[in-house]
Amino acid sequence: MKKGKMERLFHFSWRDFLILVAIMFCATSLCWFMRILDSSGEFATLIYVMAVLLVSRLTNGFLYGLIASILGVIAVNFLFTYPYREFNFTIAGYPLTFLTMLMVSIMTCTLTAQLKQQEKLRLENEREKMRANLLRSVSHDIRTPLTSIVGSTATILENPNLSQKEQRTLLEDARDEAQWLIRVVENLLSITRISGREQAHITKEPEAAEEILGEAVRKFRKRFPEVTVTVVAPDTLLMVPMDPILIEQVLANLLENAVIHGQNTSRIQVSVCREGGWARFDVRDNGCGIPRGKLNSLFTGVLQESEETSGDKKRNMGLGLAVCTSIVSAHGGTMEADNMPEGGADLIFRLPLDEEEDA
């Protein structure tokens, strides 16, 4: 384990090497220019300490910061201390001055490397916490419908005298729970697909936004035929760089949340429009809206069981919204939510129209 840590601290990388060369070249050029204005050369030490700080901040590990520290001391001695282009260790106070510079440079490099390691550990801890919350949510979401399926099928098997209407009702309940499980698994597969790496890489192609809306609404109407859904799209074709399957899943999750958590939702409007360099997608419903206290934290984590409605506890929207947030973030987009003045919720996500704007 110590060996692996040492390899990370002193790992060679051409990218980091080029960063080192570029920064030290810029520092030396700046010192040459400053010497024209001030021949004393006292500024060189500060410039090279700043260069060490930049190298340590922009490279990985400890190696390049240490090299920058040594090169800085050598450059100040050889290039910017009289006599120029000669090493001179006999100047009064020189050994102490340059020993101090070397120590400051190395300490700066060390502290910067430690801060980067601590930040990396913090991010890893946050990811582990998110995985734990997700696992808790998934366990709860899966256990309840499985119990219902087992109960319905056991009732049919153990009571052969049930009427066809009663059997049909139990089978329909089992089917609905199985469909819910399928959607949970689809969400899990999506999260697995776009996580597991420090930066998600997805394949994006320009797609007609209204076609994605239409497909998501078509599938939604099959599950919820009693809800009226309208689609609003611009007159001109809006092509958006995206992974169509993932964005369709985002829309499916938002539509389903509008019905399940809106409590009395009967109408939903799905729209897309151009908003500057972004494509804005809205899912608006006429339900009960979102509690004001949860608007700011809606997309930051998984809801706790105590936050769920008692009537349908297995319908935890934490997993669905976690999936939506992960997918939209992987596209370089943003998500937000608001309540409409006339009642109901408005869930919004934006995708960049230019792939170069992708975060």
Side-chain angles (χ1 to χ4, degrees), residues 119-331:
E119 179 66 13
K120 186 176 180 180
L121 289 174
R122 186 186 66 81
L123 292 175
E124 289 178 354
N125 290 335
E126 287 183 358
R127 281 197 292 266
E128 288 301 323
K129 184 178 179 181
M130 184 178 295
R131 290 191 186 99
N133 287 337
L134 180 61
L135 182 59
R136 253 195 322 270
S137 173
V138 171
S139 300
H140 182 267
D141 282 354
I142 290 178
R143 182 177 63 250
T144 306
L146 281 175
T147 302
S148 179
I149 291 172
V150 171
S152 297
T153 54
T155 301
I156 295 173
L157 292 173
E158 295 171 4
N159 298 274
N161 296 327
L162 288 175
S163 65
Q164 287 189 352
K165 183 179 179 179
E166 292 173 326
Q167 291 183 14
R168 181 178 180 83
T169 300
L170 291 170
L171 289 173
E172 287 177 349
D173 289 342
R175 180 199 60 191
D176 292 341
E177 302 297 344
Q179 289 177 341
W180 174 261
L181 281 175
I182 290 173
R183 291 193 290 277
V184 169
V185 172
E186 288 174 349
N187 284 333
L188 285 174
L189 290 175
S190 295
I191 281 194
T192 303
R193 175 181 174 184
I194 62 179
S195 62
R197 306 179 214 174
E198 291 186 3
Q199 182 177 2
H201 296 280
I202 58 176
T203 302
K204 298 194 294 184
E205 296 292 338
E207 301 284 345
E210 51 265 41
E211 291 184 6
I212 304 301
L213 290 184
E215 185 63 19
V217 169
R218 184 185 66 80
K219 293 179 180 179
F220 173 79
R221 283 172 176 157
K222 289 183 178 181
R223 300 201 301 268
F224 301 95
E226 70 282 1
V227 179
T228 302
V229 185
T230 57
V231 178
V232 178
D235 296 331
T236 57
L237 190 64
L238 181 60
M239 303 297 291
V240 183
M242 68 171 83
D243 183 315
I245 296 176
L246 292 177
I247 296 303
E248 186 179 315
Q249 185 166 4
V250 170
L251 291 166
N253 286 347
L254 296 182
L255 286 165
E256 187 172 306
N257 279 332
V259 174
I260 293 173
H261 299 283
Q263 297 182 8
N264 56 351
T265 301
S266 60
R267 297 191 312 276
I268 299 176
Q269 182 189 86
V270 186
S271 63
V272 62
C273 65
R274 178 187 288 270
E275 191 179 73
W278 302 81
R280 170 173 170 156
F281 295 78
D282 288 78
V283 178
R284 299 172 179 168
D285 63 71
N286 66 338
C288 63
I290 302 169
R292 182 63 57 180
K294 295 180 182 177
L295 280 174
N296 294 330
S297 60
L298 197 61
F299 302 106
T300 59
V302 180
L303 296 180
Q304 302 296 323
E305 290 186 21
S306 59
E307 295 176 320
E308 300 164 12
T309 57
S310 58
D312 194 6
K313 285 192 175 181
K314 78 174 168 50
R315 308 307 188 189
N316 182 351
M317 66 178 168
L319 176 60
L321 292 183
V323 173
C324 294
T325 304
S326 298
I327 292 174
V328 172
S329 296
H331 281 76

Side-chain angles (χ1 to χ4, degrees), residues 14-208:
W14 282 109
R15 170 190 170 278
D16 292 343
F17 176 76
L18 293 176
I19 290 175
L20 168 67
V21 171
I23 291 177
M24 297 306 292
F25 174 80
C26 291
T28 304
S29 300
L30 180 59
C31 286
W32 277 111
F33 175 76
M34 292 293 293
R35 199 175 73 173
I36 298 174
L37 305 177
D38 182 3
S39 60
S40 66
E42 295 177 356
F43 50 83
T45 299
L46 296 177
I47 291 176
Y48 278 105
V49 169
M50 180 62 69
V52 171
L53 179 61
L54 289 174
V55 170
S56 302
R57 178 66 183 86
L58 298 177
T59 59
N60 297 313
F62 184 80
L63 174 64
Y64 297 95
L66 179 61
I67 294 175
S69 301
I70 297 172
L71 290 178
V73 171
I74 293 174
V76 171
N77 184 302
F78 188 74
L79 298 176
F80 302 105
T81 301
Y82 184 83
Y84 302 120
R85 295 185 180 83
E86 293 182 14
F87 289 107
N88 189 344
F89 299 99
T90 62
I91 302 174
Y94 177 85
L96 180 61
T97 300
F98 281 85
L99 180 62
T100 302
M101 178 189 171
L102 180 61
M103 293 303 298
V104 169
S105 299
I106 292 176
M107 288 175 63
T108 301
C109 166
T110 303
L111 290 174
T112 305
Q114 288 178 348
L115 288 174
K116 289 170 67 176
Q117 286 294 109
Q118 290 175 1
E119 179 66 13
K120 186 176 180 180
L121 289 174
R122 186 186 66 81
L123 292 175
E124 289 178 354
N125 290 335
E126 287 183 358
R127 281 197 292 266
E128 288 301 323
K129 184 178 179 181
M130 184 178 295
R131 290 191 186 99
N133 287 337
L134 180 61
L135 182 59
R136 253 195 322 270
S137 173
V138 171
S139 300
H140 182 267
D141 282 354
I142 290 178
R143 182 177 63 250
T144 306
L146 281 175
T147 302
S148 179
I149 291 172
V150 171
S152 297
T153 54
T155 301
I156 295 173
L157 292 173
E158 295 171 4
N159 298 274
N161 296 327
L162 288 175
S163 65
Q164 287 189 352
K165 183 179 179 179
E166 292 173 326
Q167 291 183 14
R168 181 178 180 83
T169 300
L170 291 170
L171 289 173
E172 287 177 349
D173 289 342
R175 180 199 60 191
D176 292 341
E177 302 297 344
Q179 289 177 341
W180 174 261
L181 281 175
I182 290 173
R183 291 193 290 277
V184 169
V185 172
E186 288 174 349
N187 284 333
L188 285 174
L189 290 175
S190 295
I191 281 194
T192 303
R193 175 181 174 184
I194 62 179
S195 62
R197 306 179 214 174
E198 291 186 3
Q199 182 177 2
H201 296 280
I202 58 176
T203 302
K204 298 194 294 184
E205 296 292 338
E207 301 284 345

